[in-house]
Amino acid sequence: MAANYVIVGSGVAGIAAAEVLRARAPGASITIVSEDPDGYYSRPGLAYYLSGEIPEKHLFLRSKADFRALGIHWLHAQATQIDVAGHRLILADKRSLAYDKLLIATGARAAAPDFPGGDLDGVFTLDTLKDAKRLVRKANKSGQAVVVGGGITALELAEGLHACGVNVHYLLRGARYWANVLDAEESELVEAYLRGDEIEIHYHARVRQALGKRGKLYAVETDSGEIIPCQILAVAIGTRPHLDLARTAGITIDRGILTDSCLRTSAPDILAAGDVAQVHDDSTGRASLDTLWPTARAHGEAAANTMLGTPTPYHRVVAMNVTLLAGIPTTIIGALGSGSDEDLVAIARGDSENWRTAAPTWVVVERHEVNRIRLMLGDRTITGALVMGDQTLSRPLQRLIAAKADISPIRDALLADDHAVLQLIATFSAEWERNHAATT
Amino acid sequence: MSLERRSIFFDLTRVEVLANGHVLPESARCVQCGICSYNCPLGLDVRAYAWRGEPIFDSTCLTCGQCVARCPRGVLTFAPLTNG
Ligand SMILES: Cc1cc2nc3c(=O)[nH]c(=O)nc-3n(C[C@H](O)[C@H](O)[C@H](O)COP(=O)(O)OP(=O)(O)OC[C@H]3O[C@@H](n4cnc5c(N)ncnc54)[C@H](O)[C@@H]3O)c2cc1C
Ligand code: SF4
Ligand code: SF4
């Protein structure tokens, strides 16, 4: 009998898995169960929808008709329980689905506000297209907004609301933006851009409570007693994996659902992938969480292959994100910072815990107006890099870091002269690529 | 590799590629936001090429560079066509 695959979640991890399953098992039954009525769209694209760069319909990568054409069943429902022994997935409406292999790809949701008044009308987090649409509608009727949190999503919210014509106050709990990944100067560059957009930054400002009248937000009170009137309070203080399904089924969880390197959970025939999965890395012996789109896709593909009977490890690539930080093109590669960020209670979106594992290393900095490169140097390799502004070296650095290229020939020169960094890396990388091509 | 300072927004070495180049995606950087497809004057589905990691081999592509310039993630670059 043809195998029966069930996937919970229609994010990139679930969809990537479904596509691999369909390609490799043409006769199998594949069902995607998703509680999101909007189906499959680009979640990172929501930020560009907010800022008006793309219209809603361009967020959709695949239509439900595309899935039908692939013979993938689509079920709009919430999964509530798993009958592990009976191999059945149970839905909120009491229906149940039999499975041979089940993939949990339920993603993560924004952490709930951690202050009183977080449930008032006017308080927003950004997870889904529905959230983004509500936020845009509200922004069109609002004069002032407060944004709290850190990481990329908080900036996207601040900039998106500004683009909607709202006057934005951005509250930082500490002394600077994204202190555990960016260095002081990088934070300052981002903050200067925000100030240039007339976004008002409040430092050492913590929300004591959100104030409402008849359930409706009208202001935010900070720890220092300051009252900031606002109709919108947008909160991006990190994400939390959707663990309920796994927890009630007795599957082993930590911060995410624990899986081996091939994405298998502690329960037989149940796998997990994407933001919800905390995947064991055989090379480091640790299991970490990522909230990165490309990682979720790679998890989904590896999980599908494992489901098909070819146990396929997810190979951790160097954590990397390319994004606009307040309008500045920025690539973050490898391990860069350490410690914690007061503005986040959990890992931020577009973030990886691996960026905070930097061992004490040498730091080399090249400055050029808003162009900036920061390299973290290990004994023989480059362990991390942050490229702001000019992106010429982003790709070469990404390759050198991923390949753990031995940079000893230029290490001393890099440390000796900040200004030579760009040229040294450019020349070295070109030569390394030539040798690499010759040997592979 | 010689170094010129260009932002990714102006990374359009168009003259060189007009004759013999194509757009090359690096799928590991792509978040499928759709900005490239939206901005392509011909409505080519650049995003779908980026998902598959395939160069845009479409004879109608103008190599105008709109997609390259607008992608917020530096996914797309111009690459010379290699013969064969
Ligand atoms: C605003 C924003 C900006 C981002 N920016 C970046 C970025 O710059 N770079 C980057 O790499 N990543 C970014 N991300 C993160 C990226 O989008 C995620 O890493 C990625 O979407 C994870 O995919 P996933 O498939 O694991 O989960 P998700 O995309 O979260 O999908 C989970 C799915 O499961 C469904 N679901 C959950 N529980 C149930 C249930 N019980 N029953 C049925 N269905 C359920 C949900 O409805 C959803 O369809 C951003 C995310 C957001 C929201
Ligand atoms: S604009 Fe860039 S990130 Fe967005 S879909 Fe196109 S190639 Fe991918
Ligand atoms: S180069 Fe121009 S025509 Fe070609 S795919 Fe990109 S935007 Fe479209």
Side-chain angles (χ1 to χ4, degrees):
Chain A
M1 214 181 77
N4 187 5
Y5 299 111
V6 175
I7 298 169
V8 189
S10 61
V12 61
I15 300 299
E19 288 191 354
V20 170
L21 289 170
R22 176 46 76 230
R24 289 197 46 207
S29 156
I30 302 168
T31 306
I32 296 175
V33 179
S34 175
E35 65 183 3
D36 191 331
D38 289 314
Y40 180 39
Y41 48 85
S42 172
R43 219 170 279 285
L46 294 177
Y48 308 123
Y49 167 74
L50 211 55
S51 61
E53 272 159 278
I54 34 173
E56 181 187 336
K57 75 174 172 48
H58 277 266
L59 289 171
F60 295 94
L61 302 72
R62 307 268 189 291
S63 66
K64 288 179 187 161
D66 291 337
F67 289 115
R68 270 198 300 278
L70 279 172
I72 295 171
H73 309 292
W74 185 280
L75 209 60
H76 174 212
Q78 190 193 17
T80 47
Q81 277 176 47
I82 305 168
D83 171 1
V84 176
H87 277 60
R88 292 193 85 84
L89 177 72
I90 296 150
L91 310 178
D93 57 15
K94 303 286 182 264
R95 279 182 296 172
S96 75
L97 294 173
Y99 65 82
D100 294 321
K101 303 269 178 196
L102 176 72
L103 178 64
I104 305 178
T106 45
R109 73 167 74 97
D114 55 352
F115 44 77
D119 52 354
L120 288 168
D121 178 13
V123 180
F124 288 86
T125 51
L126 180 59
D127 280 326
T128 61
L129 179 55
K130 197 163 146 230
D131 295 337
K133 280 159 73 171
R134 275 179 52 231
L135 191 52
V136 169
R137 264 200 308 275
K138 180 78 179 173
N140 290 336
K141 304 185 288 202
S142 302
Q144 187 140 287
V146 170
V147 175
V148 295
I152 296 169
T153 310
L155 273 196
E156 288 174 340
L157 282 167
E159 295 254 291
L161 286 166
H162 169 74
C164 295
V166 182
N167 191 12
V168 178
H169 292 257
Y170 181 23
L171 270 50
L172 287 173
R173 291 182 184 178
R176 61 187 181 89
Y177 171 69
W178 214 2
N180 60 350
V181 169
L182 304 185
D183 72 9
E185 208 169 308
E186 289 152 1
S187 297
E188 172 52 30
L189 282 172
V190 172
E191 291 161 27
Y193 262 70
L194 292 177
R195 284 193 292 268
D197 273 346
E198 290 173 358
I199 290 171
E200 194 172 324
I201 307 177
H202 302 243
Y203 298 93
H204 303 291
R206 209 174 261 272
V207 177
R208 181 181 287 157
Q209 57 176 331
L211 301 171
K213 227 184 260 154
R214 283 191 293 279
K216 239 182 155 148
L217 173 82
Y218 71 84
V220 160
E221 181 187 348
T222 69
D223 259 3
S224 64
E226 189 184 359
I227 307 274
I228 309 171
C230 59
Q231 298 80 47
I232 294 176
L233 169 56
V235 181
I237 53 175
T239 62
R240 303 211 186 276
H242 281 276
L243 295 175
D244 305 349
L245 256 187
R247 190 182 287 118
T248 54
I251 295 170
T252 312
I253 53 178
D254 178 28
R255 283 158 298 147
I257 301 176
L258 285 172
T259 76
D260 68 4
S261 61
C262 298
L263 293 307
R264 291 173 290 215
T265 69
S266 63
D269 299 318
I270 302 179
L271 295 89
D275 283 3
V276 78
Q278 190 177 340
V279 182
H280 190 263
D281 181 341
D282 294 339
S283 65
T284 62
R286 283 197 311 259
S288 58
L289 277 179
D290 282 340
T291 47
L292 294 169
W293 171 281
T295 306
R297 179 182 178 180
H299 279 178
E301 291 175 350
N305 284 312
T306 302
M307 290 161 88
L308 287 160
T310 324
T312 305
Y314 160 70
H315 284 296
R316 173 170 289 290
V317 283
V318 175
M320 181 189 70
N321 197 0
V322 196
T323 189
L324 295 175
L325 287 183
I328 313 170
T330 304
T331 306
I332 306 170
I333 317 164
L336 278 167
S338 56
S340 61
D341 182 339
E342 284 188 276
D343 291 299
L344 295 171
V345 295
I347 179 169
R349 279 241 165 76
D351 194 354
S352 165
E353 289 182 349
N354 281 15
W355 284 334
R356 280 183 288 284
T357 56
T361 40
W362 291 92
V363 180
V364 183
V365 172
E366 155 80 12
R367 296 185 188 82
H368 189 269
E369 293 173 298
V370 292
N371 292 326
R372 196 160 188 286
I373 287 183
R374 177 156 57 101
L375 299 180
M376 308 300 283
L377 298 185
D379 284 344
R380 308 176 70 87
T381 57
I382 306 175
T383 54
L386 189 138
V387 183
M388 268 183 146
D390 188 306
Q391 294 294 303
T392 316
L393 287 185
S394 138
R395 223 171 277 256
L397 281 169
Q398 176 195 339
R399 301 215 0 118
L400 293 176
I401 294 169
K404 298 196 172 68
D406 183 353
I407 53 121
S408 350
I410 56 165
R411 192 172 184 280
D412 288 345
L414 282 173
L415 289 167
D417 182 1
D418 277 6
H419 300 287
V421 169
L422 284 175
Q423 199 61 59
L424 281 168
I425 295 286
T427 315
F428 179 79
S429 128
E431 195 173 323
W432 182 84
E433 292 286 355
R434 265 195 307 277
N435 294 337
H436 204 68
T439 55
T440 50
Chain B
M1 181 173 149
S2 73
L3 230 117
E4 276 170 55
R5 288 182 183 280
R6 281 175 307 200
S7 137
I8 54 168
F9 291 118
F10 303 103
D11 194 16
L12 302 180
T13 41
R14 222 183 111 207
V15 225
E16 301 150 35
V17 295
L18 261 176
N20 63 346
H22 60 226
V23 176
L24 189 68
E26 183 188 338
S27 59
R29 287 175 171 235
C30 175
V31 292
Q32 294 285 299
C33 68
I35 289 183
C36 50
S37 303
Y38 178 51
N39 286 289
C40 172
L42 299 178
L44 297 182
D45 196 357
V46 187
R47 162 165 63 185
Y49 286 92
W51 175 261
R52 298 190 299 264
E54 287 168 7
I56 295 161
F57 281 135
D58 186 305
S59 57
T60 59
C61 170
L62 306 165
T63 61
C64 69
Q66 278 299 323
C67 58
V68 177
R70 304 262 187 150
C71 169
R73 312 269 161 169
V75 172
L76 307 167
T77 45
F78 279 125
L81 264 183
T82 42
N83 296 322

